[in-house]
Amino acid sequence: MAKNRFFPTLKSNGGMLVTLAVFILLPFIVGLFDGASPAQVWINGSGQSKFIQGLAIEIFILALYALSYDLIFGFTGLLSFGHSMFFAVGAYGTGILLKNFGFSLPATFGVIFLAGILQALLFGMVLPRVKGITFALVTLGMASVFHVLVISSELGPYTGSDVGLQGVVPPEFISPASQRLRLYFVTLAVLILVFMLYKRFVNSPTGRVCTAIRENEGRALMLGYNTFYFKLAALALSSLTAALAGMLHTIYQPIVSPNVAGLGYTVTALLIILIGGVGTLNGALVGAVVFRLLDYGLRRYIGESASFINGAVYVAIVLFLPFGIVGTWRLKSAQVKQGWERLAKLFGSR
Amino acid sequence: METILDVQDIHTFIGQYHILQGVSVRAPKGSITALLGRNGAGKTTTLKSILGLTPPRQGKVVFDGREINGMRSFDIASLGIGFVPEHRAIFRDLSVEENLKIAERQKGDYVRKQEFIFSLFPDLKRLIRLPGTHLSGGQQQMLAIARALVADNQLLLIDEPSEGLAPVLIEQLMEAIKQLSAETSVVLVEQNFLVASKLAEYYVIIEEGRSVKQGNMKDLADDKATIHRYLGAA
């Protein structure tokens, strides 16, 4: 008799399914609190629900971007300081193709897909030669060159130089102005699909070799694995995901700022997975929620000085939850005592 | 007797340091050969040079009739050489089963070999789902050796198998290595002369980066002067 696999699957993915259900219902629940019926929310009326949809879209895009960083850093152990370039290629590429060349969305997606592969190959060229911090610095160099190109006046007609790319008109059927709920569900669906793909990847034999490379590349080599190809596979998947996140960013945002090509945006990805938990995948999702809501909440209620409190909160998370929120949850041990000790060490007391 | 591994006068540099200054090792097929010597003599570097991790600049390494020096490490490993590094080098974030499966060279290697592996190391069967990080030192060492048995290796290079283990575990490990040598040739580095003399049939003594003596282990066991001179044991 065939074994019933439905209930075990349901049990092991219960948390995920509940989260998914919450996000599916979120716009309608917020609408109800705001006095709008589900039908009004469905036809994309304005109000609190539409605002929350926008905030959630930003979180989904950040989560997608952070997932891509978790794959190469958290799972494969490749510390890249040029990850923002992966995102920016998607963001700028989409904007330029839609605005300057009048490409359709599927054609744009095709080009971005190719660009994602190409930039992974570009990073891959240095993989056999440099490791660790040297790899981080070389990737930073590559991303810096891209950043300089983006803000150069020569490319200004396409990239908008240091002002940023403006005036991109996204396709009507997922326009954030008139079809925000649809864009919300599209972004959510992309995030869920990518998350499932990543789960599959890290639990596959290829994913396990990536974990082995992170732990000790020499040992993986001694088992007969040409580790270069595994690192390249992780880079390619990560690059495609980040470019896809960049593409969604351009569709949602009215402007592509050159900041998304800078080192700061790579640090954003690193920060998100540090908050959520490095090498956990779920941590990228949790980290994106905490990161965006904290930033939004503090800016709204405190203003510009929010950055200072934001920084303090991140330091506190690193000190007291060194495995991130998800990592600590799994280990079931917050390091409160050790956190105070680390804090004391920071200020030089014993 | 047929030779599985023939290392001929290799010279290896690490940075500017000339670590191996002429090491030769002949390991007969189907036997255990021990590399002996004091700390820092160059035993581990010899294993790493065979594997291409610290490639020799001079000399030849011949495995099963084929010259392998100059080849890349993963290509050397793919020829059928398994390596068990010192310090119980397992993948701590992977479970026992994942640690074993990752060593498959062909699909189905693990399923085919698991009965043999668990007969050598029964403890591992019980711990199969546990992450590597939860294993004790002895269990990690067993897993490291078991991992090298998953693929069809003709030669196993084992670095310091008894290091830091309790005597009862050393006995268990020695028994397992003896059993597996019936199927696979073994070259091991061992500081503990008592363990090496009980396990190995052949020996090579390495002193300050040079192989100074090799032969039959039974002869060495009777040669107290050589033992005292090169190994510091009486």
Side-chain angles (χ1 to χ4, degrees):
Chain A
M1 205 171 85
K3 210 172 164 184
N4 188 346
R5 292 173 61 181
F6 178 71
F7 288 107
T9 309
L10 197 67
K11 198 177 169 191
S12 60
N13 295 298
M16 209 59 221
L17 290 171
V18 168
T19 312
L20 181 61
V22 167
F23 277 117
I24 289 172
L25 295 174
L26 183 70
F28 304 103
I29 295 169
V30 174
L32 285 176
F33 278 108
D34 202 29
S37 70
Q40 283 170 309
V41 172
W42 188 255
I43 58 164
N44 216 47
S46 58
Q48 196 65 12
S49 174
K50 196 167 181 177
F51 169 74
I52 291 295
Q53 288 164 39
L55 195 60
I57 289 170
E58 285 178 29
I59 290 171
F60 299 156
I61 292 169
L62 274 176
L64 209 52
Y65 174 54
L67 268 177
S68 70
Y69 198 63
D70 202 22
L71 184 70
I72 56 163
F73 176 60
F75 279 93
T76 318
L78 291 172
L79 177 63
S80 163
F81 285 163
H83 198 67
S84 60
M85 180 179 144
F86 288 178
F87 183 90
V89 162
Y92 274 98
T94 303
I96 292 167
L97 291 173
L98 288 177
K99 184 186 163 192
N100 298 76
F101 295 95
F103 273 42
S104 66
L105 198 64
T108 304
F109 177 77
V111 175
I112 296 300
F113 187 89
L114 284 177
I117 298 280
L118 281 176
Q119 61 183 348
L121 289 175
L122 182 71
F123 276 40
M125 271 170 27
V126 300
L127 267 180
R129 289 164 195 86
V130 290
K131 282 189 177 117
I133 195 70
T134 321
F135 177 76
L137 293 175
V138 171
T139 52
L140 174 63
M142 289 180 184
S144 299
V145 169
F146 183 76
H147 188 232
V148 168
L149 282 175
V150 157
I151 58 171
S152 68
S153 54
E154 287 80 3
L155 289 177
Y158 296 103
T159 60
S161 293
D162 48 2
V163 179
L165 177 60
Q166 298 179 54
V168 180
V169 181
E172 184 54 33
F173 73 98
I174 47 167
S175 162
S178 59
Q179 299 291 343
R180 186 170 295 186
L181 188 64
R182 190 177 285 169
L183 181 60
Y184 174 90
F185 283 124
V186 167
T187 320
L188 177 61
V190 169
L191 177 62
I192 298 296
L193 285 174
V194 169
F195 182 77
M196 282 161 54
L197 176 74
Y198 271 42
K199 276 264 181 203
R200 199 73 199 241
F201 180 82
V202 300
N203 290 317
S204 72
T206 307
R208 279 194 285 269
V209 176
C210 288
T211 308
I213 291 170
R214 179 195 67 203
E215 279 202 45
N216 192 318
E217 190 172 350
R219 282 175 214 162
L221 280 168
M222 290 330 307
L223 290 173
Y225 290 109
N226 185 346
T227 52
F228 167 72
Y229 292 119
F230 290 89
K231 289 193 281 189
L232 192 61
L235 261 180
L237 188 54
S238 169
S239 163
L240 286 173
T241 311
L244 184 60
M247 190 176 177
L248 290 166
H249 172 84
T250 302
I251 291 170
Y252 175 65
Q253 297 283 359
I255 181 168
V256 181
S257 157
N259 289 342
V260 299
L263 174 64
Y265 213 62
T266 297
V267 175
T268 298
L270 180 61
L271 210 51
I272 290 174
I273 61 170
L274 281 174
I275 293 169
V278 178
T280 58
L281 289 189
N282 300 47
L285 312 187
V286 174
V289 173
V290 173
F291 178 86
R292 187 67 191 96
L293 291 185
L294 197 66
D295 188 55
Y296 166 74
L298 288 173
R299 272 182 205 288
R300 182 169 178 185
Y301 296 106
I302 301 175
E304 278 312 303
S305 51
S307 300
F308 176 75
I309 297 173
N310 248 340
V313 172
Y314 300 146
V315 171
I317 287 176
V318 171
L319 289 174
F320 293 93
L321 306 172
F323 303 105
I325 296 169
V326 173
T328 306
W329 174 265
R330 284 182 186 169
L331 291 170
K332 298 197 183 344
S333 69
Q335 299 195 346
V336 179
K337 193 179 162 211
Q338 294 96 319
W340 286 116
E341 284 168 5
R342 285 185 204 112
L343 190 65
K345 264 188 195 165
L346 268 184
F347 290 100
S349 66
R350 283 161 192 269
Chain B
M1 188 177 258
E2 210 177 335
T3 306
I4 186 80
L5 179 74
D6 191 6
V7 179
Q8 300 170 15
D9 191 30
I10 56 169
H11 289 248
T12 299
F13 290 74
I14 297 179
Q16 58 179 336
Y17 300 105
H18 192 173
I19 305 294
L20 299 186
Q21 304 171 22
V23 169
S24 298
V25 177
R26 277 174 76 92
K29 213 171 202 171
S31 67
I32 302 178
T33 305
L35 303 187
L36 306 171
R38 290 193 170 93
N39 257 342
K43 305 181 296 292
T44 298
T45 309
T46 303
L47 293 190
K48 288 184 173 172
S49 296
I50 294 167
L51 292 158
L53 288 171
T54 51
R57 284 198 199 165
Q58 243 181 277
K60 259 208 254 184
V61 180
V62 180
F63 168 67
D64 204 21
R66 182 176 177 176
E67 203 172 312
I68 58 170
N69 43 314
M71 287 173 69
R72 294 174 298 184
S73 300
F74 54 87
D75 286 330
I76 293 173
S78 302
L79 291 175
I81 302 182
F83 180 43
V84 182
E86 59 185 335
H87 309 310
R88 300 142 202 171
I90 60 162
F91 298 113
R92 288 161 180 267
D93 286 346
L94 299 182
S95 70
V96 170
E97 189 169 39
E98 286 170 338
N99 261 284
L100 294 171
K101 276 188 173 169
I102 203 172
E104 281 188 334
R105 210 161 283 148
Q106 285 174 339
K107 205 168 166 55
D109 274 350
Y110 168 65
V111 174
R112 208 159 37 80
K113 290 288 190 72
Q114 60 180 345
E115 200 177 322
F116 172 62
I117 290 169
F118 294 142
S119 70
L120 289 178
F121 306 112
D123 268 6
L124 294 183
K125 193 173 186 178
R126 187 170 49 84
L127 307 165
I128 198 79
R129 304 252 175 262
L130 226 56
T133 184
H134 285 55
L135 304 185
S136 69
Q139 289 162 345
Q140 288 185 25
Q141 187 64 288
M142 286 171 196
L143 178 57
I145 295 177
R147 199 179 55 197
L149 299 177
V150 172
D152 285 323
N153 288 315
Q154 294 182 65
L155 174 66
L156 274 189
L157 306 178
I158 309 178
D159 198 0
E160 303 274 12
S162 69
E163 191 197 18
L165 295 186
V168 63
L169 284 173
I170 294 177
E171 288 289 329
Q172 203 182 331
L173 208 64
M174 278 168 63
E175 188 52 43
I177 293 173
K178 259 190 182 160
Q179 276 189 50
L180 70 90
S181 71
E183 305 214 349
T184 313
S185 310
V186 176
V187 172
L188 61 87
V189 163
E190 184 55 69
Q191 283 272 357
N192 185 335
F193 178 67
L194 209 64
V195 171
S197 63
K198 280 184 185 168
L199 266 177
E201 294 137 275
Y202 301 95
Y203 74 92
V204 177
I205 296 178
I206 299 175
E207 171 87 350
E208 292 180 354
R210 292 184 183 88
S211 48
V212 290
K213 214 166 167 50
Q214 54 186 306
N216 199 308
M217 185 61 91
K218 274 184 190 154
D219 299 336
L220 180 66
D222 298 331
D223 188 353
K224 303 287 180 213
T226 302
I227 296 171
H228 185 70
R229 181 173 171 195
Y230 293 113
L231 309 175

